[in-house]
Amino acid sequence: MIRMYKLIVTATLLLTAIQGENWPTVKLVYPPGGILLAGEDTSINITMEVNGEPFPRIKLWYKDGVELRSSDKINIDESQGKLQSLKINSVKREDEGNYYLIVGDETTDERAKSPSVKIRVTFLENQFKEVNQVVTANVGSFAVLKCHPPNHFGASPNYWWSKSGARIADTRNVYVSEYGDLVLLQVGYADRASDYRCTIEIQSLKEGFRSKQGPPVSLQIVGSAGAYQAPVIALKPRDLEIDAQIRRTFRMECVANGYPNLPTVTWYHNNKRITASSNVYDTQDPHSLKVTIFRTGNQVSGTYRCEARDASQASVTAYADLTVITKPIITTGLPDTEIKKASGASLVLSCAATGTPPPQFMWLKNAEDLTATTNLIIQGQTLEIPRLGLLDRGVYQCKAFNKQGGSMSTGKVTVQERLAFAIKPSDQEVYLGESARFYCLGKGDPGPTSLRWQFNGGNPPSSHVVDSDLQNQATYIIPKASTTDNNGKVTCIIESEENIQSQDQATATLTIRQGPQVKPQQDSYTYKESENAELVCLVHNHVSPTWKWLFNGLLISEPDNKRIAIKNGFITIRRLTGADQGNYTCQADEGGYSNSALITLTVLTSPVITLDDQIRTGQSDTLTISCNAKGNPQPIISWRRNGGAVVNNNRYSIDNSVTGLSALTINNADKDTDVGDWMCVASSSMGQQTKTINVIVVGICEVMKIPKNQTLEYGQVLTVFCSVNRCPNARRTWLKDGRNVMTDGRKTILYDDRIEVTNVEPTDGGVYNCSVDSNDSRNIKQSFEATVKVEVPAKITYFPDGRNVLFKDGESVVLECTARGEYDSTSVVTVTWYKQNVMIKSIHSEQRNQVQKIMTVTQRLVISSATASDTGYYQCTAVNKYKSQDKRDVVLQMITFPGAPNRPYSTWIGAGVMELAWEEPKDTGNTPLTSYELEIEDSGNNVFRPFLQGLPPDKQSATIYFLSTNQEYRFKVIAVNQVGKGEKSDAGEKERTFSDLDGLTANLVQEVKATALNSDTVNIKWEEPKSRTPSLQGYRVVYRNEGTLGVPQFTKNVDTSVREFNVSGLAAGSTYSFQIESNTGFSTVLTVSTTFNAETLNQRPDPPINCLADRQESSRMGVTWDPPLQTHGSILKYTVYYKDVDSTDGQWNTIEQKDRLQPSILLSAIDSSIDYEVEVTASNSAGEGPRTQCTSTGKVVNLPVHQQWWFYLLLVIFLLLLIAIIVTIVICCCRRGCCFCFASSGPRKQPLRSGGVVLARESRWSRFKGMFSKKPKHQPLRTQGNQHYSVHSSIRVTRDVSLYVSHLIYTCHT
């Protein structure tokens, strides 16, 4: 059943596509005016005519929004085909309301709503509103008797009065008003009565007339006939509001009284006198004007004036307003023809209607209210959809309504999805002889009606297989690719006559991959250690390539022991070890082409344990033993002792939380129970391995951690332990090669339990001995020694930074490798360069340097004018006698021009603007891109010109401004890197911008003008759009310099009330393109004006004015000025020129003031004895303007020296220095110990310092010199070199005497 339903739906859709769809419509047949009056308990019928192709299958009746169902009261009749009827039996007042019909079809979302029918029920209640009226009137005046009828409704109720049971006829003096009131003019006593009665009659469809008679009204007459009475309005006209659908005729009443003669009444409509009866006005009744309404009633609406005038020309006037309530009438509706739009375009619908009161508007789509829909904008009679989607198609209705009713205009909107590709043929790369397949599937609404393939722009060759299936993906097959197919272009073309875009095409490139087609026999292998492995790669399209094998990216060479054997695509590895596990690459080369495949080798290995042979700990200490085990698969580690397993308890705990590591902890170690061998066991599916460690528990003052033999490398840290268990008084003695080891605090440091040597050198090797003495009553003495060897294997210390070195074609490349290592008579450090694992024998330069036993070797590999053949994998190795080879590798890559990006395609198209996107090129030239550029073809002659430059490299899309409307364009994309511009992409498909008819010109500004104001500013003016939508928020100017072809720039957004804008900051003398962009708040929908150009002026600024150079001080000058009168643009800077007025070389000094808002500058550190000439210029974007000469004030010219300020400063400094010298001499004499010897007295004791002076006068000097243990000896004092010398009677000790000053006694002999 479901399949049958799908078949029916598919057939229906297909038939619709063939015949053309006609959306459903509903037309009112009965009642013709949309108003139906019914008497109570009668039956009524409403009839609608329904049309549509296919005929609507859904027909639903509603009353005031509530769906109606068939019942005893409601009868829905669909048996008459197009005529649909609704019958209501026994109508009641609760049945009043608005009735309408909605039709549609379940296969579409389109719905149509009929005009509404208003039902009113006539009735007449029993009770009059007021009773027992008494009216009193003077003789000759008038009387008005009120009827006060009961509540009622019906067509034109009739009123008449009776007096004493007899019906009163209308006369000149008697009048019954429109509302049932009785007016008696020039009453007399004969009119007195107490039984005036009012009767009302209502016409009913079922019963004919219904009537009710009211209570009696009494009229009393008083007074007598008097003299003349001026006209007076007895019954004034009322303001009327008439429902033209219910009442077509009515009366404007004006009853006037006067005495002795009744006045004559004249009528005016809007101040125009109504002179005679016509088809609109009936003037025969002297007391009323009968009005007939035609069509909308506009011809009778307005102000009415009745004028009552008697024979003496006395008059009185009364006014009334007449408003005819009319149902809205659509004056401008939606188009009768189908509105076709493309997906992504905008749509603006509007309608206009007249009616009284002015109508309101409601928008519906498929009979559903659109008020709450978020993707559109509704403002009164305008509906705007900024960006159409497929869901926006359907039947739209504009409903104008007021309290009188509504009218509706209907239009159908079809949104077409442009032809596009759901599946595009993609570029293919196949080996020679392989098959290639391309797939294509079109989409659109309407979809493509034809699909065809092309190869290289023409029909496909007969050897190619073509399938053009429209429903499923079409296929293009090349069964066996040949060299003639290389770089072939396979194009899929889809077409549709019904779609807005009639054609689209997509092209893919076929690349024939040259060289061997390499495939591994297996992607992965697994072997056990010691087994032999054979890895196999096969070539499917060649028979004799050259083979290479790589292991983890490094070239494999066959070793001397022949453990590895390579033969073409086979590699055999004998006696496998764990180190052989990894990734193997087989590479086949032929004819300059190379291809490879990857194979993963897994080697299963037995467990291998790493564990010390012995460990020492102190009595009662906590000991942790670590056992490491490796293997593939990872082994499980356990512990055993004395043949039994070690388990966790309060003394022993095992931690296996780290993979490959087991930690055994012994708490409170004991000499009696824990000493001995402990076994670590590692088990896996590859076997089991055990290893024991001897635990020694030492007592108090015994060595717990003994020195061990070590082999270190140059620069490492040497640590030799010799710790003692709980022995605070122990003494340790350290010897190296029999000599005491002394700490220096830096390189060699002695600790309580160890000796530590940092940055070891070969000289730090030797035999280290630790002797321990308990230094107590135990008298425990122990001695241990260890041999330390320091090796300096070859190590590379300098190599190019980074993994890759990039170069341009033709550049010189220098690769430097520096290594150091131990050197002796038997070995030197050898540095070797390799390329692709082949040794390079010719080296540009080598430099060697030896310090003690360390040799440093530097080799520079210089490649002059490097080319693509020099690219590859380079390796530097360093080796000496230790055979441990240090390696560093680098990849040398030539950076080239980038490849071509994929051809660009449009993602959105507007009027004068579009969005383009592309993909990054697969080949960026081995270096990051710096930018993209676009070329454009707009003339249809396949000539492309530069259009846009400097697009950011990280974004593969751009908004293209400055296009024309309704014009085809094609684009090419160019990628740019540091080498330069790469290849151009293939040209994109032709893309046509929208025209005015596409609905994208709403909000488009008009009459744009551009005027250059100066060298950097252009004034833009425009007029507001002819068509403006509610979403318009403002404008902004898009502009760019056509000389640079740079990316567009944007001004700030301005309000919709703005009509001009100054674009500043432009380059002088340059041509700029401009567009005005309307901001609607929708970033995906752009509305831009046509492109217009303007050229900035190339004028430099005038000179500054009012320049003043004020000599504030001798060495400072302040320069001020005012801006130029004509700047011709924004001032960028000011330049101040100054020079000596007497200078003959014409050399000017300059200083710039870049703060254009501060027209002043301070010249400091100028020569105080020189007069200066000062000039100032201003600069804008066009350049520097002419100079203006400044007026100088406060000149300082050739002052005498003693009048210069610096003369007094130097004088003060000289005096201060002189005073300081004198004070220093006095202080030195007082503090350095002077001995004065006179004839009358001996020398005084004085403290003597190094260099002190001993003074005497014409005396002989001698000294007693003695050491601690010798008797002092008297010696004459002689001059000994620079130790002593005599000057008159003084002696100066110039050598440091601080060591023996305490035992020198100087004597003076007179």
Side-chain angles (χ1 to χ4, degrees), residues 219-240:
L219 175 61
Q220 298 180 3
I221 305 300
V222 297
S224 59
Y228 168 79
Q229 293 182 12
V232 62
I233 303 296
L235 184 63
K236 295 182 179 180
R238 300 184 183 184
D239 292 336
L240 296 179

Side-chain angles (χ1 to χ4, degrees), residues 782-852:
Q782 293 178 297
S783 179
F784 300 91
E785 70 179 21
T787 300
V788 176
K789 184 179 180 182
V790 179
E791 298 179 347
V792 190
K795 184 177 181 62
I796 296 176
T797 58
Y798 175 80
F799 197 72
D801 293 334
R803 184 70 174 85
N804 296 337
V805 173
L806 306 178
F807 69 92
K808 297 180 181 178
D809 189 20
E811 284 186 339
S812 294
V813 180
V814 179
L815 301 178
E816 183 174 307
C817 180
T818 301
R820 60 109 178 95
E822 187 174 345
Y823 165 78
D824 57 25
S825 60
T826 62
S827 173
V828 295
V829 178
T830 303
V831 177
T832 308
W833 277 98
Y834 295 84
K835 177 187 178 185
Q836 305 290 113
N837 293 297
V838 178
M839 186 175 69
I840 302 174
K841 296 182 179 180
S842 177
I843 301 298
H844 187 271
S845 65
E846 179 176 273
Q847 179 180 347
R848 295 176 177 268
N849 184 29
Q850 300 175 20
V851 178
Q852 295 182 355

Side-chain angles (χ1 to χ4, degrees), residues 98 134 161 216 236 272 381 508 691 715 773 811 980 1025 1071 1113 1230:
N98 293 314
V134 176
W161 285 79
K236 295 182 179 180
K272 183 178 180 181
Q381 61 197 60
K691 189 173 183 182
D773 186 346
E811 284 186 339
T1071 300
E1113 297 178 8
C1230 294

Side-chain angles (χ1 to χ4, degrees), residues 1000-1011:
L1000 290 178
T1001 55
N1003 305 319
L1004 185 65
V1005 298
Q1006 305 293 318
E1007 299 182 16
V1008 183
K1009 296 180 181 178
T1011 305

Side-chain angles (χ1 to χ4, degrees), residues 655-706:
D655 181 7
N656 292 328
S657 59
V658 179
T659 302
L661 174 65
S662 180
L664 169 64
T665 301
I666 302 174
N667 298 308
N668 195 19
D670 183 70
K671 294 180 65 174
D672 298 328
T673 60
D674 298 326
V675 172
D677 292 336
W678 295 74
M679 180 183 291
C680 176
V681 182
S683 304
S684 73
S685 61
M686 292 299 295
Q688 184 184 86
Q689 187 188 24
T690 62
K691 189 173 183 182
T692 60
I693 182 172
N694 183 254
V695 176
I696 299 176
V697 180
V698 299
I700 296 176
C701 285
E702 293 182 357
V703 175
M704 184 171 64
K705 198 169 186 178
I706 64 175

